[in-house]
């Protein structure tokens, strides 16, 4: 099914941006999955939801057309007085129930998969601000802000409204846990290729996870209306090899080092001692 979408969207495309993991012109269907979670979502959509909705739509359309032709006024001068049919009433209650039960099984499985976070290799904290994202790697004691790059400052091949100054880096094939919160209003951290979307709520920490299965640059956006610049706080994730990640981390520890809180606590404790 996804292949059909790809072929159709290829027909409409003029540029070579087909395999970039960002929204495309005339895109139909999802972005290419880049994580196990998104693969399951695409499977559920392509092989469960789409066939069922298509079948229901075709069936209902058939019923409408059939009724229009069979019961047209010119052929039915005297109106029918039928008001009940027990069999059909039982059927149109039972069949939709069965369809919902059949859909519920893989749907719950998917929800459970998304909600159960495996042991994380890397933890990232994403904080939504009006209007940019702040990131922390709590285990590495680094933190930085990630602002959108203005259109006039874009380099060639950098997508408009999706490029940020400081991107997140994660290694490929590792479980990444994302802690999501906000500092002012509701935001939402969403990355379509990873099948990830969670609300960022002030005073509360939501979590989600992904395991990227291919390297590359992946784009997402804030997905909760958060004010006038809601559309201008994109998310950029670079999935790199473990070596490249180690190199980045080394640089990041210099560039984005957070204040060492433990030394501050010591200073305050000493001052308190002096006062006493
Ligand atoms: Cu936002």
């Amino acid at each position: 099914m996804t292949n059909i979408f790809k072929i159709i969207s290829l027909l409409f495309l003029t540029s070579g941006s087909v395999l970039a993991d960002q929204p495309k012109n005339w895109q139909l269907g999802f972005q290419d999955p880049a994580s196990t979670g998104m693969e399951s979502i695409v499977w559920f959509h392509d092989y469960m939801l789409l066939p069922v909705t298509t079948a229901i739509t075709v069936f209902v359309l058939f019923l409408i057309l059939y009724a229009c032709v069979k019961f047209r006024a010119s052929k039915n001068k005297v109106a029918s007085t039928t008001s009940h049919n027990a069999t059909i009433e039982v059927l149109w209650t039972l069949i939709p129930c069965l369809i919902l039960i059949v859909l519920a099984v893989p749907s719950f499985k998917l929800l459970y998969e998304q909600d159960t976070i495996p042991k994380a290799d890397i933890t990232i904290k994403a904080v939504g601000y009006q209007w940019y994202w702040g990131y922390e790697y709590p285990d590495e004691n680094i933190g930085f802000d990630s602002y959108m790059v203005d259109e006039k400052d874009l380099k060639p091949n950098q997508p408009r409204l999706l490029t940020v100054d400081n991107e997140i880096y994660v290694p490929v094939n590792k479980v990444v846990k994302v802690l999501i919160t906000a500092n002012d209003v509701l935001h939402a951290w969403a990355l379509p290729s990873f099948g990830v979307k969670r609300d960022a709520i002030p005073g509360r920490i939501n979590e989600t996870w992904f395991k990227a299965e291919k390297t590359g640059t992946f784009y997402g956006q804030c997905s909760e209306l958060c004010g006038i610049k809601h559309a201008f706080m994109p998310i950029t994730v670079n999935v790199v090899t473990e070596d490249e990640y180690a190199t980045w981390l080394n640089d990041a520890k210099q560039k984005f080092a957070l204040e060492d809180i433990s030394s501050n606590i010591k200073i305050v404790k000493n001052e308190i001692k002096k006062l006493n």
Side-chain angles (χ1 to χ4, degrees):
M1 211 64 79
T2 329
N3 286 336
I4 299 171
F5 284 146
K6 269 186 203 154
I7 293 164
I8 296 171
S9 47
L10 261 175
L11 293 175
F12 287 106
L13 273 170
T14 47
S15 71
S17 64
V18 182
L19 295 170
D21 292 287
Q22 51 179 283
K24 307 154 201 165
N25 292 335
W26 296 96
Q27 178 180 338
L28 287 169
F30 296 109
Q31 291 181 34
D32 296 333
S35 75
T36 38
M38 189 57 192
E39 268 161 26
S40 315
I41 293 173
V42 170
W43 179 89
F44 183 59
H45 173 266
D46 285 0
Y47 297 104
M48 296 294 298
L49 294 182
L50 205 55
V52 170
T53 43
T54 309
I56 292 173
T57 311
V58 170
F59 179 64
V60 171
L61 182 69
F62 162 78
L63 285 183
I64 293 171
L65 294 176
Y66 180 80
C68 287
V69 175
K70 177 98 195 276
F71 305 115
R72 64 187 187 276
S74 58
K75 278 273 174 184
N76 297 274
K77 299 287 188 228
V78 185
S80 154
T81 52
T82 310
S83 63
H84 291 290
N85 185 317
T87 320
I88 238 167
E89 279 162 23
V90 170
L91 281 180
W92 76 40
T93 310
L94 273 185
I95 294 173
C97 280
L98 285 176
I99 294 173
L100 288 180
I101 291 168
V102 168
L103 287 180
V105 176
S107 168
F108 283 133
K109 204 174 147 243
L110 197 57
L111 281 175
Y112 182 78
E113 214 176 278
Q114 293 174 344
D115 213 43
T116 325
I117 303 178
K119 200 183 157 326
D121 297 306
I122 285 173
T123 305
I124 298 176
K125 185 176 162 196
V127 187
Y129 298 93
Q130 281 176 316
W131 288 272
Y132 61 95
W133 288 99
Y135 295 107
E136 274 171 43
Y137 288 59
D139 301 329
E140 312 295 346
N141 207 41
I142 57 176
F144 52 87
D145 292 333
S146 188
Y147 283 87
M148 189 190 78
V149 175
D150 268 349
E151 209 175 332
K152 59 176 177 6
D153 302 323
L154 286 177
K155 296 193 188 97
N157 292 328
Q158 283 189 327
R160 182 180 153 265
L161 301 184
L162 291 175
T163 306
V164 296
D165 54 356
N166 292 318
E167 298 144 353
I168 320 170
Y169 280 75
V170 294
V172 71
N173 285 323
K174 294 274 177 196
V175 175
V176 180
K177 178 159 121 177
V178 193
L179 306 171
I180 299 161
T181 186
N183 199 48
D184 33 44
V185 298
L186 293 181
H187 301 269
W189 202 81
L191 253 161
S193 309
F194 296 162
V196 163
K197 181 183 273 177
R198 277 284 184 284
D199 272 1
I201 302 167
R204 184 194 152 123
I205 292 184
N206 277 343
E207 8 173 75
T208 188
W209 70 282
F210 62 84
K211 187 170 152 192
E213 288 190 308
K214 54 181 180 185
T215 55
T217 305
F218 301 90
Y219 298 97
Q221 286 174 306
C222 175
S223 298
E224 179 69 67
L225 276 175
C226 59
I228 195 163
K229 286 174 81 182
H230 160 65
F232 308 113
M233 48 183 296
I235 298 154
T236 308
V237 177
N238 278 321
V239 180
V240 293
T241 61
E242 222 160 310
D243 286 348
E244 286 168 328
Y245 177 69
T247 315
W248 174 80
L249 202 57
N250 241 334
D251 289 349
K253 277 182 180 167
Q254 312 285 323
K255 215 169 137 191
F256 302 131
L258 287 178
E259 216 174 327
D260 187 1
I261 302 172
S262 58
S263 68
N264 286 1
I265 293 173
K266 260 182 221 157
I267 295 170
V268 173
K269 274 185 181 164
N270 280 339
E271 290 300 317
I272 293 173
K273 248 185 222 166
K274 271 186 217 165
L275 287 174
N276 292 338

